[in-house]
Amino acid sequence: DIQMTQSPSSLSASVGDRVTITCRASQSITTYLNWYQQKSGKAPNLLIYAASALQTGVPSRFSGSGSGTNFTLTISSLQPEDFATYFCQQSYSPPLTFGPGTKLHLK
Amino acid sequence: DVQLVESGGGLVKPGGSLRLSCAASGFSFNGYTMNWVRQAPGKGLEWVSSISSSSSDISYADSVKGRFTISRDNAKNSLYLQMDSLRAEDTAIYYCARVIVGAIPPRHYYSDYWGQGTLVTVSS
């Protein structure tokens, strides 16, 4: 199985900050990488698919990049509603696997 | 609007069974692969099972293989997960999710809509 790791596991930031979350795969997954946001008590919400494609309706302050084994999710200017947990997921080969998550909280 | 509504969760004893349902609306259910994904309390996301639009392709996580059965009824716009021989480690919120599979290579695969989840608790 492809193992996904994320760093940091937890991140403190302020409204207006630029933040970057990193996701790494245990082997190359080309660009088969998705990012989800999950708010407390809610279902995951798709932000980015295919490493860098912005899902319809997602604000442009979110962006994704990377290929191979290293990927990043960037939020250019944090808004109050962005404080949540972020998961990456690989869809290169079954079984689908998720990263352990990065919890973004208010400094 | 696309809606996915799970039901059927609850408290069950180890070794017991439960059947989850996911009612879909707002899209052509028979045209989409569907997933079940679970999340243990305070933990991360774990893919459980997938079923293609025609039920021709089915797959399971090793952790549930032989105990869980995914199925769908396209006439009823419904997805199911039959869970047998339940264990304490199956305790989780279970989400159904619609899958988008790219039509041309590279066939990117992702879940664009998720239900609100149903909680399964396995405890004596």
Side-chain angles (χ1 to χ4, degrees):
Chain A
D1 297 1
I2 297 175
Q3 307 302 316
M4 307 300 293
T5 58
Q6 288 181 236
S7 60
S9 58
S10 178
L11 178 59
S12 295
S14 301
V15 172
D17 284 353
R18 178 184 180 90
V19 300
T20 297
I21 297 168
T22 296
C23 175
R24 288 193 171 89
S26 59
Q27 66 182 73
S28 177
I29 58 171
T30 65
T31 58
Y32 286 79
L33 191 284
N34 308 313
W35 288 99
Y36 298 89
Q37 176 195 65
Q38 187 178 35
K39 296 182 180 178
S40 182
K42 301 294 187 183
N45 179 51
L46 177 69
L47 299 176
I48 302 283
Y49 63 93
S52 60
L54 191 68
Q55 170 66 357
T56 302
V58 174
S60 59
R61 62 181 180 273
F62 291 93
S63 63
S65 65
S67 66
T69 60
N70 294 327
F71 302 87
T72 59
L73 174 69
T74 299
I75 310 172
S76 60
S77 179
L78 272 174
Q79 298 302 301
E81 60 268 29
D82 299 338
F83 292 95
T85 300
Y86 294 84
F87 295 95
C88 60
Q89 176 210 35
Q90 67 82 20
S91 60
Y92 180 78
S93 72
L96 301 175
T97 47
F98 293 85
T102 295
K103 186 169 185 178
L104 180 54
H105 50 91
L106 188 60
K107 185 182 290 183
Chain B
D1 285 3
V2 171
Q3 277 204 314
L4 297 168
V5 180
E6 300 94 337
S7 60
L11 175 63
V12 61
K13 289 181 168 53
S17 297
L18 216 51
R19 189 194 196 207
L20 305 184
S21 299
C22 171
S25 61
F27 67 103
S28 298
F29 180 72
N30 61 8
Y32 289 85
T33 291
M34 298 295 294
N35 280 350
W36 286 101
V37 175
R38 68 184 180 182
Q39 187 170 35
K43 302 297 184 183
L45 299 166
E46 180 188 16
W47 169 77
V48 173
S49 184
S50 295
I51 186 168
S52 63
S53 58
S54 64
S55 304
S56 59
D57 290 321
I58 287 175
S59 56
Y60 299 97
D62 285 346
S63 58
V64 306
K65 201 173 292 183
R67 301 187 299 121
F68 289 12
T69 304
I70 191 171
S71 62
R72 64 191 296 162
D73 185 336
N74 286 341
K76 294 184 177 179
N77 291 334
S78 293
L79 174 71
Y80 306 102
L81 187 67
Q82 176 67 40
M83 303 187 297
D84 298 321
S85 303
L86 281 161
R87 306 167 180 167
E89 54 265 35
D90 296 319
T91 295
I93 296 172
Y94 285 74
Y95 297 101
C96 65
R98 187 178 84 165
V99 175
I100 299 296
V101 182
I104 57 173
R107 292 169 60 87
H108 287 287
Y109 182 112
Y110 51 92
S111 287
D112 63 342
Y113 284 95
W114 298 62
Q116 85 290 347
T118 187
L119 177 62
V120 172
T121 303
V122 184
S123 174
S124 54

